Amino acid sequence: MGKAQKAVQWDPTDIKQKLLEKYPPKVARKRAKQILINEAQENTTPEITANVRTIPGIITMRGCTYAGCKGVIMGPTSDIVNLVHGPIGCSFYAWLTRRNQSDASGHENANFINYCMSTDMQDSDIIFGGEKKLELAIQEAYDTFHPKAIAIFATCPVGLIGDDIHAVARKMKEKFGDCNVFAFSCEGYKGVSQSAGHHIANNQVFTHLVGKSEQEKTDKYKINLLGEYNIGGDGFEIDRILKKCGITNIATFSGNSTYDQFASANQADLSCVMCHRSINYVADMLETKYGIPWIKVNFIGAEATAKSLRKIGAYFADQELVDKIEEVIAEEMPSVKAICEDVLPRTTGKTAMLFVGGSRAHHYQELFSEMGMKTLSAGYEFAHRDDYEGREVIPNLKVDADSRNIEEIEVSADPELFKPRKSEEELKALEKSGFEFKEYEGLIPDMDKDTLIIDDLNQYEAEKLVELLKPDIFCAGIKEKFSIQKLGIPMKQLHSYDSGGPYAGFKGAINFYQEIDRLVTSKVWSYMKAPWEENPELSATYVWE
Amino acid sequence: MLLRHTPKEVTERKALTINPAKTCQPIGAMYAALGIKGCLPHSHGSQGCCAYHRSTLTRHYKEPISAATSSFTEGASVFGGQANLLQAINNIFTVYEPEVIAVHTTCLSETIGDDLPQIFDKAIKEKKVPEGKTVLGAPTPSYVGSHVTGFSNMVKAMAALARKSENRNGKVNIIPGWVEPCDMEEIKRLAAMMDVKINMFPDTSGVLNGPLNGEYHMFPDGGTPIEDIKSSGDASGTLALGEWCSADAARTLDSKCKVPCSVLDMPFGLQATDRFIDALRKIAGTSVAEEVSAERGQLVDMISDMHQYFYHKKVAIFGDPDQLISMVEFLVAIDMCPIHIVTGTPGKKFERRIKEITKDVPYEVNVKAAGDMFLLHQWIKNEPVDLLIGNTYGKYMARDEDIPFIRWGFPILDRQGHQYFPTVGYKGGIRMLEKILGVLLDRMDRDNPEEKFELVY
C-alpha cells in the first residue's frame, strides 16, 4: 500500500474507480452496483444493490445465518437454554463473544447466558444421523437445568443430513409438559448474511413465545423495544430513561431479555423499532396480529434520544407523560451538553467512516454529528435495500433464490388477543400532526451529497478507503480492527464496542463523546514513525558539533 | 454466581457438552496456515466459519487475521462447492496476490464431499493459479477431533509438499506445534544459541506479533517460506514438538522423504525443555551452549526459591493435550499437585500419559480427555483447588469458586501480553513460575488478616 494522499484531491467518482480497479471484471461489475455515490436527487433516492451473495474469495466482514439467529437474536436471552445441534465450533464461537449483558444476577431468574451447550456432533452422527443424540442432549439439559424453555439451533451439517430438529423439539416439549422446546433451522449456508438468521429467529420467537404469557401487564404506558441487543449495557441505559419517564418496557427484542418478556410482548401498546433491519417485520406482525402500532426510534445520540422520547410521548398523547418526558430531557441534557462542549474543540471537523450492522452505521452518525464530525463513507454489513433507501422500496424488492428459502410467516388478527390501540380517527389525527408510523427513511437521505455509501464492504476496499480518504476514525468490527489500526487510524468497534459502552441514551452519549475524544486525540497515532525514519539521511556533521 | 446452575453432583452426560474445553478443526488449520510466508488461509464452506475463526484469532492475538472464504449459499451446499472455490482462487490471486493459498475444509464442504485435490487440479488447468504460486489443502471436518486436530492436519499438508533432492541441507526441521508466535521465536532463539541450523514450520512469529508503524501488510515478513517447507525433505532430521500437533507432519516427512523424526513433548517447563535441548544437541551433533545451561540454572534456582509456596498446592488445569502434558509434568516437578485435568481433545493416550506423570501426587487425580469445563467445575466443587490454569473461559469458574487463576492456552480474549512473552523454554518456565507465585501471593495479601499482612515473604 502506498503512502496516503489527501482526501480533497479526490472526487468520489475517482475513489469509486480506485476501489474497483484491481478486481477481475465480473467482480468489479458486481461491486460497482454496491458502491453508491450519494447524489441527492429531487425526491428520489438512488438505488443500491444490497442483500446479495458475498463473492467467494473476497474477504468479507459478514457472518452467517446461524450467527444472526443464535448469536444476535437468541444469545441475549437469559432464562432459555440455547442448545446448538452441530459440531462443537459453532456453539463455542457464539459463547459470550457479543458483549450483550444480562442483569439476571438476582436468584429469582435463571441465567444460562454463561453456559455454552452443544451436541458436539461426531462423524458417526453425520453418517447415521444426529436426531437420537439431540433428543438425549435435550433430555440431559432438562434434567440438569429444568429450564422454562430450550431452544435448538441447526448448524450446516444438520441441514445437509436432514435431521428433523423440529420434530425432535415437538416430541420433547410434549414429553416434558412444563418446558417449551422449539427449534431454529438456521444453518449457516442459508441466505447471504446474518440477516437471514435474524429472520428465522424472529419468526420462531413470534410463533412459539409471543402471546403465551398468562400474566396481565397493567402499567400505563407500555412499549416494546425492538432491535436492541444490550451490547455494553445499551439496553440498561434505555430502560433507565424509560423508567424515569414512567414508560414501561414490556419486552426488549432481545437484549437482557427473558422468556416472560417475549411471552408478554403482545400486551404492549406501542412497538419502538431500534435496529430496523433485524426486526422490522416483527413490528409489522405485532401490529397485524395484536393491533400494536409501531414507530422507528433511535436512542443513539442525545438529540435522537430526546426526539424518540417525544415521539413516544406524542403517541400516548397524555399531558402528564409529555411533561414528564420534557422534565427528564431537561434534567439529563445539561451534563450531556457539558461533556459535548468539552470535546467539541478537539472533535469538530474530524471525519469518520462507519461500516457496521444493518442500522448502526446510520444511528451512530447522530453521535458523530453532535461532536461536529462528518461521516465520509458508510454502509451496512447485512442490510437490505430498504435500510438504505427507505421502506417504500419494500414492495419492489426482488425475491431471489437465497431469500426464497427463508421462511415468511403469514399472520392475521388474533381472534382473542387482537385489540386496536388507537381508533382510526386517533391514528389519522396523529399522522396529520406529522407523526409517522411504520416509517423508516433509511441511511441514504441522511448522508451528505457525494459521500460514499457502500454495501457489504470488504477488507480490500476498507483499506483503500482509509488510504485515500484518511478518516480520523473508522468504525467496524473486530475482524477489521487491527488492519485499520496498522494504517495508523483509530478503529472503534461498533458491534461489540471494544470494552466500552453503553453508548445509547444520555449517559451513553457522554461515554461515546469521551471515547471518541480519547481515540482521535490519542498520542499513539503520532508515534508511527521513528525519528530516524522521518529523517533518515545522515549528514557529515555530528550532533555535538 | 455466574455459573450458579452447575450442580456439585456429577452425573454422566452422554450427548450434551457444556462449556467445551475445545473448539473445531478449521480454526487450527487457519492458525497454522498463517505461519507460512505470504499465505492467505482459505476456508472452504459457508462464510460464518471463516468469520468466527478470524474473530477468535483476532481477539486472541490482537492482530489482523486475513482469511478468505468460499461463501457457500444453499446452492453450493446442494451442487457442490467447486464453482465457488475456483472463483475464490481466481479472485484471491488477482486481488490479494499471496504466494500461497492454504485451503481447509469445514463440516459443510466435508459433508457434501468436495474433493480439494481435484478442484486444485482444475484450477491449475484453468490457469487460475499463477506460475510459481502454491495452493495446498487440508481436510478439517469439524466433527472429528478438535482445533488441535485441524492444526495438525494443516501442518501435515505442509509436510506433504516436501520433496527430497540429492543433497541433505544439514538443517534440523522443527515442528513447533500450536504455540504462541513468541514461543516460536523463543525456539528459534534457543536453536541459534546452540548454533543449530533449523527449518521451522509453521512459524507465526513476525506474522502475528507485528509492529504498528502506519503501514498494513496483509502478508508481513514473517512466516516460513514455502521453499523452506518444500526443502524440509532434505533435512537431517525432524523434531516434532507435541504428539497431537506435530507428529503426523513429522511422520509424513519420514515416510515420504526418509527424514528421521523424533516426537518430543512441547518444551514447557524444566524436564520437557531439557529433553528438547538434549535432542537438539544430539541430532545436530553439537554441544549445549553455556548460556543455555545458565538459563536452565536460573530456572532451577527460581524453583528452589519459590518451592515453599508451591509445595502440595492443588491445581486444576485445562487446555490442549500437548501443552497440558508438559505443564502438568512441570507442576509435578515443582511439587504442586495437579488434580483436575481436562482437555476437550479426545484421545485415551492423553489420559494414560497424565496418569503416569501424576502417579505420585498424594491426591486422587481426575483426568478426562473428552471432558468439558462443566465437568471440571464439578470436580472443583467436590475437591477445591488453590490454583486454576486455563484459557479465558476459566475466569467464570475462578470467580465463582474464588480461585487464583492464570490464563494460559487458547483462546485468551481478555488479557494481553501473552503474544509477546514466551512460556516455552527455560525463560518461559521462569515466566510461568513468576505468574503462579504472583497470583498465590496476591491471594495471601488479599485474605490475610491485618496482623498477618506482611511485607516480607
Side-chain angles (χ1 to χ4, degrees), chain A residues 74-133:
Chain A
M74 295 309 290
T77 303
S78 53
D79 57 355
I80 296 177
V81 160
N82 286 327
L83 170 53
V84 180
H85 185 36
I88 198 67
C90 300
S91 191
F92 181 89
Y93 304 116
W95 186 13
L96 298 166
T97 46
R98 265 182 62 82
R99 295 196 67 238
N100 23 42
Q101 301 174 357
S102 156
D103 70 352
S105 53
H107 282 260
E108 63 279 11
N109 281 332
N111 183 17
F112 303 115
I113 290 252
N114 303 322
Y115 292 93
C116 165
M117 304 194 207
S118 169
T119 53
D120 187 12
M121 286 176 105
Q122 298 298 304
D123 46 358
S124 58
D125 304 318
I126 303 296
I127 296 162
F128 301 111
E131 287 179 22
K132 286 248 149 26
K133 191 170 193 185

Side-chain angles (χ1 to χ4, degrees), chain B residues 24-305:
Chain B
C24 65
Q25 283 211 48
I27 194 170
M30 190 181 279
Y31 177 58
L34 289 164
I36 304 173
K37 189 179 171 71
C39 175
L40 189 73
H42 181 89
S43 165
H44 187 50
S46 61
Q47 68 208 15
C49 305
C50 187
Y52 273 137
H53 303 147
R54 289 179 64 208
S55 295
T56 306
L57 291 170
T58 303
R59 287 188 172 118
H60 178 85
Y61 294 104
K62 314 290 182 211
E63 285 289 320
I65 307 286
S66 298
T69 161
S70 296
S71 289
F72 277 30
T73 56
E74 200 152 58
S77 308
V78 175
F79 301 114
Q82 173 172 297
N84 286 50
L85 186 50
L86 289 174
Q87 198 190 342
I89 289 172
N90 185 43
N91 286 337
I92 290 168
F93 279 124
T94 310
V95 180
Y96 309 111
E97 304 176 44
E99 289 303 311
V100 183
I101 302 176
V103 183
H104 58 263
T105 59
T106 60
C107 49
L108 178 50
S109 53
E110 280 290 328
T111 307
I112 62 176
D114 275 354
D115 180 354
L116 289 187
Q118 176 264 320
I119 299 174
F120 293 164
D121 279 351
K122 199 168 162 61
I124 292 164
K125 279 200 194 90
E126 291 177 1
K127 305 219 176 305
K128 290 189 165 73
V129 182
E131 203 72 33
K133 307 262 178 168
T134 307
V135 178
L136 72 139
T140 51
S142 314
Y143 39 75
V144 175
S146 76
H147 57 292
V148 176
T149 322
F151 182 94
S152 166
N153 282 339
M154 182 52 83
V155 183
K156 187 178 164 187
M158 294 175 202
L161 297 175
R163 47 167 198 242
K164 195 180 173 190
S165 66
E166 293 303 303
N167 306 313
R168 292 272 162 185
N169 62 18
K171 288 184 182 172
V172 178
N173 296 322
I174 295 185
I175 306 179
W178 190 330
V179 289
E180 297 275 340
C182 54
D183 291 320
M184 298 186 186
E185 231 158 37
E186 178 66 5
I187 289 167
K188 287 193 287 190
R189 188 186 70 93
L190 285 168
M193 280 163 80
M194 309 249 309
D195 219 8
V196 181
K197 288 200 174 50
I198 64 164
N199 175 24
M200 184 168 79
F201 67 91
D203 178 7
T204 57
S205 65
V207 182
L208 294 178
N209 51 3
L212 176 61
N213 57 11
E215 291 169 29
Y216 169 61
H217 301 281
M218 186 177 278
F219 308 109
D221 282 341
T224 314
I226 197 77
E227 280 313 312
D228 287 3
I229 293 174
K230 287 178 181 167
S231 73
S232 60
D234 290 331
S236 50
T238 304
L239 293 182
L241 307 182
E243 175 70 41
W244 274 260
C245 283
S246 308
D248 279 356
R251 287 177 190 135
T252 300
L253 281 174
D254 193 334
S255 59
K256 197 176 169 216
C257 304
K258 303 282 170 282
V259 180
C261 74
S262 178
V263 180
L264 303 173
D265 294 322
M266 277 184 179
F268 291 108
L270 179 67
Q271 290 117 323
T273 305
D274 282 350
R275 292 194 294 274
F276 168 65
I277 296 292
D278 205 35
L280 199 57
R281 161 183 82 105
K282 285 177 182 154
I283 198 167
T286 175
S287 54
V288 177
E290 259 177 49
E291 301 99 291
V292 176
S293 298
E295 283 180 11
R296 181 185 189 280
Q298 289 170 331
L299 173 59
V300 175
D301 186 61
M302 280 197 80
I303 295 172
S304 78
D305 293 346

Side-chain angles (χ1 to χ4, degrees), chain A residues 22 27 54 56-57 59 63 93 95 104 106 109 111 114-116 118 120 123 140 192 405 459 485-486 529, chain B residues 2-6 14-17 19 22-23 47 63 69 74 91 95-97 212-216 393:
Chain A
K22 205 175 179 191
V27 176
T54 316
I59 301 177
Y93 304 116
W95 186 13
N109 281 332
N111 183 17
N114 303 322
Y115 292 93
C116 165
S118 169
D120 187 12
D123 46 358
E140 288 174 351
V192 300
N405 52 43
Q459 177 165 338
Q485 291 200 163
K486 292 280 187 204
K529 292 286 171 246
Chain B
L2 295 157
L3 300 169
R4 63 181 188 250
H5 302 287
T6 303
K14 286 202 173 79
L16 180 67
T17 294
N19 300 352
K22 64 168 177 182
T23 182
Q47 68 208 15
E63 285 289 320
T69 161
E74 200 152 58
N91 286 337
V95 180
Y96 309 111
E97 304 176 44
L212 176 61
N213 57 11
E215 291 169 29
Y216 169 61
Y393 285 97

Side-chain angles (χ1 to χ4, degrees), chain A residues 349-476:
Chain A
K350 294 235 160 46
T351 56
M353 291 181 181
L354 294 82
F355 293 93
V356 256
S359 285
R360 283 176 187 254
H362 184 191
H363 292 161
Y364 277 83
Q365 294 189 32
E366 297 259 7
L367 271 169
F368 282 119
S369 82
E370 285 171 10
M371 282 184 275
M373 291 176 66
K374 179 183 157 78
T375 301
L376 297 177
S377 183
Y380 296 135
E381 188 178 336
F382 49 76
H384 302 201
R385 270 183 59 200
D386 45 315
D387 301 298
Y388 291 103
E389 298 172 49
R391 288 181 61 83
E392 64 274 11
V393 302
I394 291 180
N396 311 327
L397 294 183
K398 284 197 300 265
V399 179
D400 58 19
D402 298 311
S403 310
R404 203 165 292 130
N405 52 43
I406 310 303
E407 181 196 32
E408 288 288 345
I409 51 177
E410 288 292 326
V411 294
S412 52
D414 189 289
E416 281 161 32
L417 299 173
F418 182 86
K419 170 178 78 138
R421 278 12 187 220
K422 297 255 176 197
S423 68
E424 284 293 324
E425 295 76 50
E426 285 172 320
L427 290 175
K428 284 227 169 72
L430 272 170
E431 278 176 336
K432 218 173 157 193
S433 70
F435 201 90
E436 289 178 328
F437 289 104
K438 302 214 275 188
E439 183 54 47
Y440 176 51
E441 285 187 341
L443 169 78
I444 293 176
D446 256 8
M447 288 190 68
D448 287 350
K449 190 172 184 304
D450 286 346
T451 50
L452 283 159
I453 293 158
I454 308 178
D455 182 61
D456 184 21
L457 187 82
N458 58 56
Q459 177 165 338
Y460 175 72
E461 291 167 16
E463 197 189 319
K464 270 278 173 204
L465 268 183
V466 166
E467 187 195 319
L468 296 171
L469 289 166
K470 276 276 173 193
D472 294 293
I473 192 159
F474 191 93
C475 304

